[in-house]
Amino acid sequence: MIVASLNTRGMPLRGSRLGERYAAIGAVFEASDVDVVNFQEVLTYYHLRQLVRAMPSYRFASYRRSAAGPAGGLLTLSRTPIARTGYRRFPMPVAADAAGLPRLSRLKASLKGVLLTSLPGVTVANTHLLANFDGDWSETNRYYRLHQGQLAALGRTVASIDVPVILSGDFNIARDSSLYGDFIRDTGLVDAFGADCPPTFHASYLHSNQTAHCIDFLLLSDPSITIEAAQLTFTEQLPMPGGPDYLTDHLGLQVSLAL
């Protein structure tokens, strides 16, 4: 089984040529042997239609409906039939955990969660945590406690599932942070990339004083799942109308697994 994960749209909506980018993203997966793709930031039903149209061989779509689009911006497309779909929203942040955060961040935090897609013998989980616009994951940072709460809720969800879980998404926490280390320790999840996790965000989209980190992960709950290969995708600029460009500000993850 080959599983991929990609945050599809971090750049501003206006002027981002969304339809063209999504068509190009879909073409990459259509030409691949990937079985299941976890997408993040599929924010509206327009986004959803664009991806589904561009990936006709992925006949099975998993998402939870909300007013504007897929709940949490999460979409899983599969070439394998899906048994069922579930969605768990993260608890509303308490005032103490959200103190000092911008109003927009507090609003977005209330919309985050994890999408659960049941396939034969395995559950594929897809998540997207709140973005930390400070680029600082130390314990004194204003986003730290909120991220702790979201990770704790994510860990409880994974622990409640009685089949092996493949969890991936944009965690928006740096791999070298205590948030990541504590989450792996507390959940016992295995990182498919091991200790070798290069940055998963294109540095060209950062300010000159910021550093790219590994913030996207693909994690496994069961030691019986064998990791055969792991690689980054969407690492290079691809042809686009107007000239070569990255299709999204994130790099993608792709892992071959033996269940």
Side-chain angles (χ1 to χ4, degrees):
M1 182 179 187
I2 302 178
V3 180
S5 184
L6 180 69
N7 182 318
T8 65
R9 194 207 63 79
M11 67 277 295
L13 182 59
R14 180 173 297 177
S16 67
R17 299 173 291 175
L18 179 68
E20 296 165 355
R21 291 179 185 273
Y22 269 28
I25 289 171
V28 171
F29 285 114
E30 277 295 296
S32 77
D33 52 1
V34 173
D35 299 294
V36 182
V37 189
N38 280 342
F39 288 115
Q40 301 89 46
E41 290 212 65
V42 183
L43 301 177
T44 70
Y45 291 114
Y46 172 76
H47 292 70
L48 173 65
R49 289 192 298 271
Q50 295 297 311
L51 275 178
V52 169
R53 183 180 303 147
M55 300 172 62
S57 69
Y58 292 81
R59 297 171 49 213
F60 306 97
S62 174
Y63 62 97
R64 174 63 58 86
R65 295 186 68 87
S66 71
L74 301 173
L75 168 68
T76 298
L77 294 182
S78 174
R79 285 171 163 155
T80 302
I82 292 169
R84 63 182 180 274
T85 294
Y87 183 80
R88 309 268 184 94
R89 179 180 285 187
F90 296 149
M92 290 287 291
V94 299
D97 291 347
L101 294 181
R103 181 177 300 176
L104 182 58
S105 290
R106 295 198 299 271
L107 172 62
K108 288 182 176 180
S110 68
L111 303 176
K112 298 295 186 180
V114 54
L115 175 69
L116 304 171
T117 302
S118 296
L119 298 172
V122 67
T123 292
V124 175
N126 183 7
T127 194
H128 185 195
L129 275 62
L130 182 68
N132 180 337
F133 295 105
D134 297 342
D136 172 12
W137 292 274
S138 65
E139 295 185 21
T140 57
N141 183 260
R142 56 182 176 168
Y143 287 92
Y144 190 89
R145 291 182 61 179
L146 191 144
H147 272 150
Q148 269 190 323
Q150 291 188 336
L151 289 166
L154 183 59
R156 290 193 297 270
T157 295
V158 172
S160 71
I161 300 170
D162 58 4
V163 296
V165 177
I166 302 168
L167 166 65
S168 77
D170 176 6
F171 284 60
N172 275 314
I173 59 171
R175 194 188 189 285
D176 57 0
S177 68
S178 61
L179 287 166
Y180 172 85
D182 291 349
F183 179 68
I184 294 298
R185 180 200 64 204
D186 295 342
T187 61
L189 293 170
V190 174
D191 192 326
F193 284 77
D196 182 20
C197 181
T200 59
F201 195 91
H202 290 294
S204 58
Y205 287 99
L206 295 172
H207 297 298
S208 58
N209 62 337
Q210 294 179 310
T211 302
H213 291 269
C214 177
I215 58 175
D216 300 81
F217 305 104
L218 197 151
L219 309 173
L220 311 172
S221 72
D222 196 308
S224 66
I225 302 176
T226 302
I227 303 162
E228 297 182 336
Q231 65 182 51
L232 295 181
T233 59
F234 296 90
T235 58
E236 304 294 335
Q237 294 184 338
L238 295 178
M240 289 279 292
D245 199 358
Y246 295 113
L247 299 185
T248 171
D249 53 6
H250 282 251
L251 286 75
L253 311 177
Q254 181 173 311
V255 179
S256 299
L257 304 168
L259 302 180

